[in-house]
Amino acid sequence: MTHLHRTRTGAAAALVALVVLAGGCTGATGGVRGTPGAAGLRDPYFPKLGNGGYDVGHYALSLAYDPDTGRLDGTAEITARATQDLSAFNLDLSGLTVGGASVDGVPAAYNRAGGELTLRPREEIRKGAEFRATVTYAGVPEPLVDADGSEEGWLRDDDGGGVVAVGEPAGSTTWFPGNHHPSDKAAYDIALTVPAGTDAFANGVGTERRTEEDGRVTTVWHTSEPMASYLATVAIGRYETGTATALGTVPVLTAAEPEVAAESAALRAEVPAVLARQVRRFGPYPFSAAGAVVTEDGTLGYALETQTRPVFPASSFDRTTLVHELAHQWFGNSVTPATWRDLWLNEGFATYAEWLYAEEYGDVPARTAFERAFREKANWAFPPAAPPAAGNLFDPPVYQRGAMVLHKLRETVGDETFDEILRGWPEERRHANATTADFTAYAEETAGEDLDDLWDVWLYGDERPDGP
């Protein structure tokens, strides 16, 4: 994520919900041996985000949107595998009204408690079994206001007709139910139905376009590679588009609102070239599609690396930010943090990608950027691997000091070994999750040396060293 100089840069409730459910639903035959899945994954910053007891493999989202009223009608079909015997399980959903729920085609009891939607299937789900939960819902989605004051979720433009959906860290809960923690990645199919004359985009490859009997138009978007829910996106409105091919086979779709289409066209056309340069440094591109969406300023307050198709407000659509968000396709989107405490693995690498790009194509050594960042007091407010609170996740230390960690690693192990780490890390964890400890262990194994002194000072240390 890149910000426009903004330095964003339950257990009791769940128990009450399950007690309510128990009074009004049919128990499993033969006695219930399963237990309810956890109502949160105890993330260090968002303990109620995500849910236990199952792993999602696929989301099929059918969304119909009315720009005049702002109403969203949705059906979410969630295919998952139980990781324990389940008598009930939770989905994260903020706002909206649930119209019904089923599990494997059989109606299921459900209950709302805050941001938790609890489903109790008629029959318990055995550990290891695959199941399909279907939820219908509707309403006018409301954005979330984060601890730092920024907005995320289903964001409508000033005219009310256009929408852009962004979800870091929890905004996707405002437009579809799911297991909204980055540790549970899944494939997606998103069908968007909108009035004729309105454009609609989501992640991945467009696979279908059809006109409904009522004249509305449906487009379907397929993401085959695993995706964390915070990287899912939707853009609805009027757009001018451009198409190209990157890396020989990867379709590139860019879209810009008409008011900013002309001014963004040249840079949008550079997406294939930027990806080609990054492939040389980071290894094979990890996805089946690429692109960018550019909106007028006002709706979206920051750029975000939404998978395969990052989104940008016009004022942040510059080459540096494009490099940053495309680098996230490797670092953050393919290799995704196991918890939000590991976010520096996203932002430190994407920021260092900016430094590398400036070094290779702008004749500005990465050491120069490192020294500039070293002098900034704000970068030393806390260690990049230990933000003090959720409101600090997008503060400068996560970005700038995270990049400093990587530059010190480069200077310690040498360019050849560092390049091996830079390419090998996204290959090692391709389409998976990773912790900070995973990365430090990988770097040490690749370098063949103990790097504790480096991590202690630059990654975990509280004080700024005497010199860079």
Side-chain angles (χ1 to χ4, degrees), residues 389-404:
N392 303 111
L393 278 176
F394 303 97
D395 283 358
V398 176
Y399 292 68
Q400 298 293 322
R401 192 170 161 193
M404 281 192 276

Side-chain angles (χ1 to χ4, degrees), residues 38-93:
L41 294 182
R42 299 185 179 180
D43 185 90
Y45 304 104
F46 307 97
K48 295 182 181 180
L49 201 60
N51 304 282
Y54 64 94
D55 179 69
V56 179
H58 181 260
Y59 290 92
L61 306 178
S62 297
L63 307 175
Y65 180 66
D66 184 345
D68 292 335
T69 64
R71 178 183 171 93
L72 178 69
D73 287 271
T75 299
E77 293 186 356
I78 302 165
T79 303
R81 188 171 301 279
T83 57
Q84 66 178 66
D85 289 340
L86 283 173
S87 61
F89 59 92
N90 281 28
L91 300 169
D92 302 313
L93 181 65

Side-chain angles (χ1 to χ4, degrees), residues 235-324:
I236 297 172
R238 295 187 183 276
Y239 286 86
E240 294 186 16
T241 61
T243 59
T245 301
L247 310 170
T249 59
V250 177
V252 177
L253 172 63
T254 65
E257 292 187 313
E259 296 79 4
V260 297
E263 67 190 65
S264 66
L267 186 55
R268 283 189 286 127
E270 288 189 35
V271 169
V274 173
L275 288 175
R277 291 166 175 170
Q278 292 183 328
V279 161
R280 291 197 288 270
R281 297 306 301 263
F282 309 145
Y285 182 66
F287 300 113
S288 302
V293 174
V294 184
T295 71
E296 280 192 280
D297 291 331
T299 305
L300 184 64
Y302 46 88
L304 185 66
E305 62 272 18
T306 44
Q307 192 159 305
T308 70
R309 194 153 293 121
V311 294
F312 305 80
S315 58
S316 74
F317 190 58
D318 53 61
R319 187 169 288 101
T320 297
T321 309
L322 180 62
V323 166
H324 182 106

